[in-house]
Amino acid sequence: MLKKYILFGVTALSVLSVRSQTRDTTFKKETVNKTEIEILYSHYLQDGNHSAVTGGRGTEKLTVYAPGFRIKRSIKNHSFSIKAGVDVISSASTDNIDYVVSSASRLDARLYMNTDLSYELKNNVVLSAGTGISAESDYTSIPVNAGVSRTSKNKLRSWSVELQAIFDDLTYGRLKKNFVKPYYLVYPSELRFREWYDDHLRRSFNVKFGFTQVINKKMIVGVFPAFTFQKGLLATPFHRVYFSDNSLRPENLPNNRSKIMLGFKANNYFEKFIVRNTLDLYSDNFGVRGIGIESEFPFSVDHTITLSPSFRFYHQESSRYFQSYGMHDITENYYTSDHDLSGFNSYKIGMGFRYNPNKKLGRKYLFNELNLRYALYQQDNELKAHIITFVFMIDKSYRKRFIIE
């Protein structure tokens, strides 16, 4: 926001200077068209000993390679963007669906593509809409979203509302070579003697609000409430649950879930660095409660390089439907041994590197930005992950010109 104040000041001075020198001449500002290109890559390494596939104990080793790209085209007062990529997933834990080491389930891929369109009205109102598709061997997801945002005339206050619906199909087979129906739910190998669920669809409906306010030249605050309602098959069919009497069933959860999230942000700007603080609160009707606190401290090394150390702590209370391996009672209606629904504390330490040279790449393109980030994530239940992300950004635009009429 401090940069925005500086930008407004420089722009105002420039316009006043032009007007004072040419009061008798009419000027028309030429429309700027711009194309932004982002090349994305993420690498995720995970290990742990509480796999839900094997009932809450066993390897959680997982590797994800995720290349992708994003192209955004801005023309006059509207923009269109497309984002696509693939997540290649190598998971030792999913081998245990069939109890076969290096089975076909060990290596999987998720393909996705999303498109977004936005249109800016004259009164600082921006309308947006988007859709997409995501497909993996055991599910297909189609999101649809629409939103509206508005910024005040003095640029000190903004609000936004976003609506989203996500339609998931959890049946297996869409990425098979022959694409032959029927599709089916994947159960653990020893539980395939019957159908355990009546539904294979999941519908999620989200509404997100946002409100930001500039307090002064050094501080901006924001409030971001969100609500989610899910209906359908919310359990994962190939997650095992072992009971106290040594019997075995697939995970079973209620077919309705409501979530409430509330986020607070406070950014403070100092001479050479920024402090970004975030507080997140979470609650749902499964009994899960969570609170997360995150701080990031971007600071400039010089005019082209910015470093961003960060730290996040998250505390979660367990769902009423969770019990660890062999602890569930056979008389329970709902049960899971997925440690994502257990109680735990987690820590995330990261460092970001941003290089912003604004150098030309040939005649038409500008090397705008390079982002590299590493994070170490750890839960106190032995789960540990390393996350590396890379973003390379270039753009092509026509310079602003003032044409004498």
Side-chain angles (χ1 to χ4, degrees), residues 223-227 259-265 278-284 288-294 312-316:
V223 181
F224 305 90
F227 307 90
K259 307 176 184 179
I260 301 176
M261 291 78 73
L262 183 59
F264 300 92
K265 294 182 184 294
T278 303
L279 173 65
D280 295 318
L281 304 175
Y282 173 88
S283 178
D284 67 25
V288 178
R289 305 286 185 270
I291 179 171
I293 302 172
E294 182 174 6
R312 175 177 172 82
F313 169 78
Y314 177 73
H315 169 76
Q316 178 171 297

Side-chain angles (χ1 to χ4, degrees), residues 153 243 289:
K153 291 183 178 180
F243 293 84
R289 305 286 185 270

Side-chain angles (χ1 to χ4, degrees), residues 359-398:
K359 291 184 177 180
K360 288 186 176 180
L361 289 177
R363 291 185 175 182
K364 298 181 179 180
Y365 294 94
L366 184 71
F367 175 13
N368 189 26
E369 191 171 314
L370 172 68
N371 272 290
L372 182 64
R373 177 171 289 275
Y374 166 79
L376 171 64
Y377 175 81
Q378 188 163 0
Q379 295 180 2
D380 58 7
N381 58 16
E382 302 179 34
L383 181 71
K384 180 185 289 187
H386 302 273
I387 310 159
I388 301 172
T389 56
F390 168 87
V391 181
F392 177 73
M393 300 174 59
I394 61 176
D395 65 57
K396 176 184 177 182
S397 60
Y398 300 98

Side-chain angles (χ1 to χ4, degrees), residues 75 77-79 117-122 125-129 149:
I75 303 175
N77 57 348
H78 66 275
S79 66
L117 176 67
S118 67
Y119 186 84
E120 184 175 357
L121 304 178
K122 292 181 180 180
V125 173
V126 177
L127 305 178
S128 61
S149 64

